[in-house]
Amino acid sequence: MAIAKLKSDATEARLAGVTLPEGAAWAQAARADALTRLRAMGLPSKRDEYWKYTDPSDLTAVTAPKAALFDAQEAPLFGDTDRLEIVFVDGVFDADASDALAGEGIEIMRLSDAMAADIHWAKELYGVLETRGQTPVERPLAVLNTALATDGIVIHATGKVSKPVHISYLHADETSDAILHNLVKVDAGAEITLLETGPGAARFSSCLEVDIADTGAFHHVRTQGRDHERRTVTHCFARVGAESTFKSFTMTVNGVMTRNECVLDIIGDDAIAHVAGVCVGDGKDFHHDDTVFITHDALNGESRQVFKKVLRNGATGVFQGKILVKADAQKTDGYQISQSLLLDEDAQFLAKPELEIYADDVACSHGSTSGAIDETALFYLRSRGVPMNVARNLLTLSFMAEALDEIADPALAEELRDRLEGWLARHS
Amino acid sequence: MLEIKGLKVKLEDEDKQILKGLDLTVETGKVHAIMGPNGSGKSTLSYVLSGKDGYEVTDGSALLEGDDLLDMDPEERAALGLFLAFQYPVEIPGVGNMTFLRTAVNAQRKARGQEELSAGDFLKEVRAKAKDLKIDADMLKRPVNVGFSGGEKKRNEILQMAMLTPKMCILDETDSGLDVDAMKLVAEGVNALRSEGRSFLVITHYQRLLDHIKPDVVHIMADGKIVKTGGPELALEVENNGYADILAEVS
Ligand SMILES: Nc1ncnc2c1ncn2[C@@H]1O[C@H](COP(=O)(O)OP(=O)(O)OP(=O)(O)O)[C@@H](O)[C@H]1O
Ligand SMILES: [Mg+2]
């Protein structure tokens, strides 16, 4: 099998010379297990069906491709939000820039500390949801992350957490290759907001495992920052309990390669799981991929996927989204929409929406469109005196509104909207 | 105010001539009405004057207070004081009506070198004008024209006109789809704006609107031209006898 050989060679090349981070016995076992699983499945190649639209070679390469640093010249996001601030620079924890790891309603610490402890709740979560998420589709880059992650943040929300936790991922080294892994465990009735911002590194892999107990709530707002040459792969695995809420929103601006995978398992009745995102990209080097897999395995679950992509000058957007409704998941309400606004003719959007339904009493809908600016609306605005550029940007923002509306906190939504407006003004 | 001479317009993508040498002059401070059979080119005239794509002017001119309209972008024409109340107002999902109005008002002020209206002043003005047109707060908050009834859309057009205070107002069948009371509201809205410095071109099929907005001059348009011009009595004649007699007489 030539392809299998190629894969295993590529995988061994990537793993040659890497040493697993140190840790307690359970942590070492989890990493060794991941390594074994990775060797069995091999790193992805563009021949894989799941990577048909996105070439993973930059993400699997032995060394990270160089990425120029970018001076955004704007105030950091969420600066006005009262929050617990945590900073990583090229994947390295920055204690001076970070707040003390403590807060009301949470136990919070670095992953490296948790994994050094002989006894820690992280053992029940680290790599566990990731492993569950390997069927029916393999996600080898998440396995690689579990094996090699050097650090991250682990959060146990035991009550209503008043302040959001903000993790800022800064990029200061052109050749950095960072792998971080975060865990969030939300107790019954507990509620937490996690904010993540920044490019992270020249190449950045981040894996997030979220376990939400019955009646818990997890809110997640993330931005993937403006560095043009950065490569990013993220995975989010969540287990969503009864009457609980999972909401995740991602805004992506620039970057040559972004692959965001989100794998949600609804295991308790009456749960809500929403995942949404917007991306804006300019130029043929921009490639952005949202890959989502939502499994309904309980009664009366509601899931929403809302993705909007604005693409210019040969930029590429990809959406692969699946809703799987198991036989016992009656009364499931599943909604999926992925749309792109192509601001010129050579931008492209590739979408693969999928429904797989084994229950008979469900309401699931999905749609995918790709279109240009509405000329009639554009003329209407201009006839009222609104200049062409302003009118185009207004319509472009309105195109993204449905996704931004998924953010529960209107102040956060407004802040992201302003950033998108700024991007559009710079790129029109 | 508005001076159109020998205007010939065809579709850009098709070999179809729609306006075939149209002459029309609207004096400052006057209200002119245009009536004419379906398909005679009334809406096309309004679109060409406001700068919509898809049409090609093959001959003639259109001046607004001496400025050549046909070379300008739609937004420049608007800033000069031209306004079109659309026959079919456009729905814009995701853009709030208020945002739309404020963006438009301030864009025009900016183009004219005036200061932007403060949020407070703007709000006060919109609320007062919306109230006159019985447009409630909810309609102001909703996306532009989305889910509005036909009559609500038309009232929203008049609200925009009232906020933008243009010099030359073109109303394309603003009366269609209006109930009797709404028609009165719209007519009152228009009459409130009538002034020495402002002109109107009212496109309509019915005498009813003209009962409320008394025109100074009535034109009959057929097959891409103005074929007859007269006083308000011309509209009554159309109402009573249709176009057959008039068209027979001019052909
Ligand atoms: N974009 C277009 N494509 C094809 N035909 C068009 C287009 N625009 C106008 N026409 C045609 O030009 C003619 C004039 O249309 P227009 O809408 O100006 O008429 P009107 O006088 O406003 O009619 P009504 O009273 O029904 O509103 C019609 O035959 C119409 O079908
Ligand atoms: Mg018409």
Side-chain angles (χ1 to χ4, degrees):
Chain A
M1 292 286 284
I3 291 174
K5 173 87 169 73
L6 279 176
K7 269 203 166 195
S8 94
D9 286 353
T11 307
E12 290 311 325
R14 174 69 182 88
L15 294 175
V18 303
T19 41
L20 297 188
E22 308 217 329
W26 67 267
Q28 292 312 88
R31 285 172 172 142
D33 173 67
L35 218 47
T36 307
R37 288 186 288 127
L38 180 65
R39 288 198 155 105
M41 65 178 75
L43 284 170
S45 85
K46 64 179 175 188
R47 291 208 180 84
D48 296 345
E49 180 65 21
Y50 218 44
W51 291 88
K52 191 170 161 185
Y53 303 126
T54 297
D55 181 352
S57 51
D58 283 352
L59 300 172
T60 58
V62 174
T63 48
K66 205 167 143 182
L69 302 180
F70 182 77
D71 180 7
Q73 294 180 322
E74 62 186 3
L77 268 160
F78 309 133
D80 294 336
T81 305
D82 185 21
R83 66 204 194 276
L84 191 123
E85 178 79 357
I86 297 167
V87 179
F88 285 90
V89 182
D90 294 303
V92 178
F93 182 71
D94 184 339
D96 293 339
S98 302
D99 291 339
L101 295 183
E104 201 185 319
I106 45 171
E107 295 160 13
I108 181 167
M109 65 164 71
R110 287 171 58 186
L111 178 80
S112 50
D113 290 337
M115 290 184 82
D118 288 331
I119 298 174
H120 197 278
W121 60 262
K123 180 185 176 196
E124 309 306 321
L125 197 50
Y126 189 83
V128 173
L129 298 189
E130 176 263 295
T131 304
R132 277 175 64 112
Q134 297 298 330
T135 40
V137 192
E138 287 176 347
R139 305 167 194 282
L141 290 170
V143 187
L144 181 74
N145 182 298
T146 299
L148 301 184
T150 52
D151 208 347
I153 294 295
V154 304
I155 305 169
H156 181 188
T158 53
K160 288 220 178 346
V161 183
S162 52
K163 277 189 198 179
V165 173
H166 174 223
I167 311 179
S168 173
Y169 303 104
L170 304 181
H171 173 208
D173 173 352
E174 288 192 344
T175 58
S176 58
D177 192 10
I179 304 181
L180 296 179
H181 197 117
N182 301 318
L183 304 177
V184 179
K185 178 174 149 82
V186 183
D187 284 355
E191 188 169 347
I192 183 168
T193 298
L194 174 66
L195 308 174
E196 296 182 279
T197 60
R203 181 168 70 179
F204 184 43
S205 162
S206 125
C207 183
L208 169 66
E209 295 178 273
V210 186
D211 193 12
I212 312 173
D214 298 354
T215 71
F218 173 72
H219 293 276
H220 182 217
V221 178
R222 168 171 70 178
T223 67
Q224 297 173 308
R226 287 171 55 194
D227 297 37
H228 288 277
E229 293 168 356
R230 63 166 179 79
R231 275 92 178 163
T232 307
V233 58
T234 74
H235 288 86
C236 172
F237 298 93
R239 183 160 59 187
V240 185
E243 291 174 50
S244 70
T245 302
F246 170 96
K247 278 192 149 208
S248 176
F249 179 91
T250 301
M251 175 177 95
T252 308
V253 175
N254 304 340
V256 290
M257 165 62 60
T258 308
R259 164 95 162 197
N260 293 327
E261 294 193 20
C262 187
V263 183
L264 308 179
D265 253 326
I266 300 179
I267 57 160
D269 297 345
D270 305 302
I272 291 174
H274 292 189
V275 51
V278 300
C279 81
V280 290
D282 188 348
K284 64 175 178 21
D285 291 334
F286 178 87
H287 185 102
H288 184 276
D289 176 332
D290 281 302
T291 291
V292 181
F293 199 114
I294 299 184
T295 305
H296 284 266
D297 198 5
L299 287 177
N300 205 28
E302 179 199 305
S303 72
R304 283 172 70 81
Q305 303 171 48
V306 181
F307 290 92
K308 305 273 181 157
K309 297 177 197 270
V310 174
L311 305 167
R312 296 192 72 216
N313 288 326
T316 300
V318 173
F319 175 77
Q320 308 189 92
K322 178 151 182 171
I323 308 175
L324 170 63
V325 182
K326 297 211 172 163
D328 56 349
Q330 300 294 2
K331 305 277 180 203
T332 286
D333 179 0
Y335 173 73
Q336 178 195 86
I337 183 90
S338 66
Q339 295 181 304
S340 72
L341 182 65
L342 306 179
L343 294 181
D344 40 47
E345 276 162 18
D346 48 358
Q348 61 168 341
F349 178 53
L350 306 160
K352 189 176 173 196
E354 283 181 288
L355 290 177
E356 195 177 326
I357 301 176
Y358 298 100
D360 48 23
D361 184 15
V362 302
C364 284
S365 64
H366 66 133
S368 181
T369 65
S370 202
I373 287 264
D374 178 350
E375 289 296 328
T376 314
L378 190 64
F379 172 63
Y380 191 63
L381 285 164
R382 295 176 75 194
S383 79
R384 275 19 178 177
V386 181
M388 176 77 139
N389 274 348
V390 179
R392 284 179 77 99
N393 293 350
L394 200 59
L395 292 174
T396 306
L397 278 174
S398 77
F399 164 78
M400 295 187 274
E402 186 189 5
L404 286 164
D405 285 347
E406 290 292 322
I407 302 172
D409 181 340
L412 296 181
E414 190 56 33
E415 199 171 347
L416 296 195
R417 194 185 174 282
D418 287 347
R419 294 300 164 108
L420 291 166
E421 199 170 358
W423 188 93
L424 290 172
R426 288 188 301 273
H427 291 259
S428 58
Chain B
M1 172 72 67
L2 180 67
E3 206 175 358
I4 305 170
K5 279 200 185 129
L7 189 62
K8 291 188 184 167
V9 170
K10 67 179 274 290
L11 291 177
E12 215 166 54
D13 298 335
E14 261 177 71
D15 202 15
K16 179 166 177 176
Q17 195 76 28
I18 301 177
L19 301 184
K20 302 177 176 173
L22 182 137
D23 296 300
L24 177 68
T25 300
V26 182
E27 307 82 6
T28 303
K30 299 290 187 205
V31 176
H32 286 222
I34 296 188
M35 303 180 86
N38 293 134
S40 54
K42 305 180 297 296
S43 293
T44 302
L45 172 64
S46 71
Y47 285 146
V48 170
L49 290 175
S50 42
K52 190 175 180 178
D53 283 342
Y55 303 100
E56 187 186 330
V57 176
T58 54
D59 202 8
S61 64
L63 306 181
L64 184 70
E65 293 190 312
D67 289 316
D68 183 0
L69 281 179
L70 301 178
D71 275 348
M72 292 181 210
D73 285 334
E75 53 268 37
E76 294 178 89
R77 305 179 198 208
L80 269 189
L82 183 77
F83 180 88
L84 168 63
F86 282 53
Q87 180 171 2
Y88 304 108
V90 178
E91 297 186 3
I92 314 184
V95 177
N97 214 8
M98 270 300 205
T99 309
F100 166 66
L101 277 168
R102 201 178 51 234
T103 308
V105 167
N106 283 332
Q108 293 204 11
R109 293 180 72 94
K110 199 171 156 198
R112 296 189 200 117
Q114 296 164 324
E115 246 181 70
E116 297 197 349
L117 273 188
S118 76
D121 288 347
F122 171 80
L123 211 62
K124 244 199 320 214
E125 207 176 317
V126 175
R127 288 211 178 115
K129 288 181 171 163
K131 191 162 167 248
D132 292 342
L133 288 160
K134 295 216 163 69
I135 291 174
D136 59 28
D138 179 53
M139 264 171 72
L140 289 174
K141 268 192 235 141
R142 271 154 53 189
V144 180
N145 292 325
V146 176
F148 287 27
S149 75
E152 287 170 345
K153 286 181 182 168
K154 296 303 178 78
R155 275 185 277 149
N156 201 27
E157 294 290 289
I158 301 304
L159 174 64
Q160 293 165 39
M161 185 167 86
M163 289 302 298
L164 294 169
T165 59
K167 287 189 244 173
M168 177 72 232
C169 310
I170 305 174
L171 281 66
D172 190 0
E173 294 198 30
T174 302
D175 52 339
S176 65
L178 291 181
D179 65 38
V180 181
D181 296 326
M183 168 107 64
K184 266 199 196 132
L185 281 177
V186 163
E188 280 164 16
V190 171
N191 287 331
L193 282 171
R194 281 178 85 152
S195 78
E196 273 178 21
R198 183 172 291 127
S199 309
F200 291 84
L201 187 60
V202 181
I203 299 170
T204 181
H205 287 295
Y206 305 107
Q207 168 62 31
R208 239 178 359 178
L209 180 69
L210 302 179
D211 284 341
H212 298 292
I213 307 173
K214 300 226 156 38
D216 300 296
V217 181
V218 175
H219 306 274
I220 306 297
M221 182 162 175
D223 195 22
K225 278 188 279 202
I226 300 294
V227 294
K228 186 164 182 176
T229 296
E233 72 287 348
L234 199 51
L236 280 170
E237 193 186 326
V238 169
E239 180 89 352
N240 295 330
N241 307 328
Y243 293 108
D245 293 351
I246 298 174
L247 296 185
E249 168 196 329
V250 299
S251 69

